[in-house]
Amino acid sequence: MDRFGNVLFESKEIENERLELTDKEAHYFLGPNLTVKNCTLVLKVSAPRLFFDGARFINCTFEVKQELKNHQQWLAASLKGCRFKGRLSGCDFGHWPEYMSLPGFQHGSIEDCDFSAARMTGCRIMGSDPATLHFPKWPCFTILDPIGRSRELNSVQWPGQVGPIIIETLRKQPPGTVALTEDATAIAKRFDTTPEELRAVIEKFDCILY
């Protein structure tokens, strides 16, 4: 750590190591010119303290020990064959062309990754092929092609306030949104319904994985 509280990982290749990014007083910068292979990264810091600048992660495991909220920096990372554990909310992964002018974001990608051990709320996959990804199971559910299927999803009666508040806004997602993962338990609590009532509707659609 330097005297400004920054921990830098750049211009190197790291393999078969365990990296603990847990100092709440530090800012962690991963990249540029960083390749991380077959490593376990333990994350226990808030989103404003974690930066990816074009870093490449290959066959790594991310253990999120503290819920990571609204972390857009995943869009500046190349993720291949990685596994995620822990709670993620409001996080975006993949490639988002509108961010291309920012450092590292031109390298953003995701493929062959596994979120089955994660708990995700309001997380999006951008500009990538969701068929290569494993999403978390129920009570999480994933809407594929949320923009293209928004009219169909809005054609049925959803319980509570889910229809007016969530489903009607799908078409307003950014153009590159290919998948949206939500947590039925969290949604039910916020929008006056139950997970069981949500599932009864979700089961009708082949564009929703659960």
Side-chain angles (χ1 to χ4, degrees), residues 134-210:
H134 293 282
F135 293 99
K137 300 295 186 182
W138 187 261
C140 292
F141 63 93
T142 300
I143 302 173
L144 302 176
D145 187 19
I147 302 170
R149 304 298 286 266
S150 61
R151 185 184 298 272
E152 177 185 353
L153 292 166
N154 201 28
S155 68
V156 301
Q157 182 68 44
W158 290 81
Q161 296 298 309
V162 173
I165 296 177
I166 294 181
I167 303 302
E168 288 184 7
T169 63
L170 290 180
R171 65 182 184 277
K172 299 178 182 178
Q173 293 289 330
T177 308
V178 298
L180 170 66
T181 301
E182 293 284 4
D183 183 335
T185 304
I187 287 180
K189 186 175 182 180
R190 288 178 60 197
F191 298 114
D192 192 29
T193 184
T194 67
E196 293 74 23
E197 289 177 322
L198 271 173
R199 182 161 180 161
V201 180
I202 287 170
E203 290 175 341
K204 300 177 181 180
F205 295 98
D206 61 6
C207 61
I208 303 181
L209 307 177
Y210 58 94

Side-chain angles (χ1 to χ4, degrees), residues 68-79:
L68 193 57
K69 300 180 180 180
N70 303 319
H71 189 52
Q72 308 304 309
Q73 286 287 313
W74 294 113
L75 292 162
S78 170
L79 301 159

Side-chain angles (χ1 to χ4, degrees), residues 120-137:
M120 303 172 77
T121 305
C123 294
R124 297 179 295 198
I125 303 298
M126 311 296 297
S128 305
D129 183 2
T132 73
L133 309 178
H134 293 282
F135 293 99
K137 300 295 186 182

Side-chain angles (χ1 to χ4, degrees), residues 16-146:
N16 300 315
E17 292 191 23
R18 181 179 177 88
L19 305 178
E20 301 208 6
L21 284 57
T22 58
D23 188 334
K24 298 186 184 303
E25 302 301 318
H27 288 88
Y28 292 93
F29 294 85
L30 288 84
N33 303 315
L34 175 70
T35 299
V36 185
K37 295 181 179 179
N38 303 312
C39 290
T40 295
L41 293 94
V42 180
L43 309 181
K44 196 176 180 181
V45 291
S46 61
R49 293 187 174 274
L50 183 61
F51 302 89
F52 300 136
D53 184 358
R56 298 175 66 231
F57 298 95
I58 302 169
N59 297 329
C60 291
T61 297
F62 292 91
E63 296 183 359
V64 182
K65 299 296 187 179
Q66 168 186 307
E67 183 175 7
L68 193 57
K69 300 180 180 180
N70 303 319
H71 189 52
Q72 308 304 309
Q73 286 287 313
W74 294 113
L75 292 162
S78 170
L79 301 159
K80 182 175 175 59
C82 295
R83 296 160 298 283
F84 295 82
K85 301 177 180 180
R87 303 184 72 93
L88 301 161
S89 62
C91 295
D92 293 332
F93 301 83
H95 182 69
W96 195 336
E98 285 78 3
Y99 279 63
M100 289 281 282
S101 61
L102 300 177
F105 280 79
Q106 65 270 27
H107 302 292
S109 65
I110 185 169
E111 62 177 314
D112 300 325
C113 289
D114 187 351
F115 292 96
S116 59
R119 193 74 176 261
M120 303 172 77
T121 305
C123 294
R124 297 179 295 198
I125 303 298
M126 311 296 297
S128 305
D129 183 2
T132 73
L133 309 178
H134 293 282
F135 293 99
K137 300 295 186 182
W138 187 261
C140 292
F141 63 93
T142 300
I143 302 173
L144 302 176
D145 187 19

